[in-house]
Amino acid sequence: MTSIRRIVAGVLWLQLLGLGGCFKEDPSETGAVVINEFLASNQSGLADEDGERGDWIELKNTGTSVVSLEGWTLTDDPALPEKWVFPVIDIGPESFVVVFASGKDRKTNTLHTNFKLAASGDYLALFKPEDKSNPVSEWNPAYPQQVADIAYGNHSDPGDFYLSPPTPGEENKLSEVVDPFASAFTLSHPPGLFFEPIEAFTFESTIFIYAR
């Protein structure tokens, strides 16, 4: 009984010191937060509190503990890892936080970074508060060219993929992996048998086949 009383007294003493809350979050879980998905050309999707369709970045906590995002940072500039700092906000296990990359720089009920995403491709990274040298998520030197209303991020297989439809605040597996640059090609000759050598030439998205 004496040992039990000592343990209880110790816990109460920690709470009085304001340290009791440290048991809420497992520090080893902080690396479990990642950029799960982003949309760099939002034409007809998620709208913000102003009714505007800005680009957005979705974070996911892939761990099993609550993580405080206070002091975490997002940036589109490798020289400025602290370009936009998260306010006091928690992200639960297997939960999401969506931040509009609108340039409006707001930290109220709806979060807005102070930069926008470039559809042509750009640097993007997420940093933990205690380490601004090693990003948790990063596209360096840049993520690839983006397409209107098609997101980019994780899926069931390792790697990053183009995703349609975008799923801000939801699991990416609800989307399909797509190739936005694939398109049907046209033939410069009608179907048939060719008894002479044929060469194929590409020009933009069209393939021209010539018989010689």
Side-chain angles (χ1 to χ4, degrees):
M1 292 296 294
T2 301
S3 298
I4 294 175
R5 289 175 180 171
R6 287 176 178 173
I7 292 173
V8 172
V11 172
L12 291 174
W13 180 245
L14 285 173
Q15 291 178 337
L16 287 173
L17 290 176
L19 300 176
C22 68
F23 296 110
K24 172 184 174 183
E25 177 183 321
D26 180 357
S28 65
E29 290 286 342
T30 59
V33 178
V34 297
I35 297 177
N36 191 53
E37 180 184 11
F38 66 86
L39 183 62
S41 182
N42 184 7
Q43 301 298 313
S44 60
L46 183 67
D48 64 15
E49 69 274 29
D50 300 324
E52 298 177 349
R53 292 182 170 87
D55 305 333
W56 49 261
I57 302 166
E58 176 196 78
L59 271 57
K60 179 181 180 181
N61 180 358
T62 63
T64 57
S65 300
V66 174
V67 174
S68 171
L69 292 177
E70 183 180 8
W72 286 62
T73 57
L74 284 167
T75 183
D76 65 344
D77 187 342
L80 298 172
E82 298 181 279
K83 186 167 184 177
W84 188 81
V85 184
F86 276 89
V88 177
I89 183 173
D90 291 339
I91 180 170
E94 297 298 321
S95 296
F96 306 89
V97 168
V98 176
V99 183
F100 281 99
S102 63
K104 297 179 181 179
D105 193 15
R106 297 177 184 172
K107 300 178 183 180
T108 55
N109 293 334
T110 304
L111 301 175
H112 291 259
T113 64
N114 54 0
F115 61 88
K116 298 181 179 181
L117 298 178
S120 59
D122 203 354
Y123 180 83
L124 179 62
L126 171 69
F127 289 88
K128 293 190 291 185
E130 68 275 14
D131 188 352
K132 300 306 182 185
S133 299
N134 300 293
V136 174
S137 292
E138 180 185 48
W139 283 269
N140 188 7
Y143 52 79
Q145 179 180 347
Q146 300 298 299
V147 179
D149 293 329
I150 294 181
Y152 193 73
N154 301 323
H155 203 259
S156 53
D157 295 327
D160 299 314
F161 303 91
Y162 292 98
L163 306 171
S164 181
T167 55
E170 298 182 278
E171 293 289 348
N172 290 0
K173 62 185 179 182
L174 299 176
S175 302
E176 292 185 5
V177 174
V178 297
D179 182 354
F181 303 105
S183 60
F185 63 87
T186 58
L187 297 175
S188 57
H189 287 64
L193 296 176
F194 297 89
F195 299 97
E196 298 293 333
I198 295 177
E199 295 183 5
F201 299 90
T202 61
F203 179 72
E204 294 183 344
S205 60
T206 304
I207 297 177
F208 298 92
I209 301 177
Y210 299 93
R212 297 177 58 179

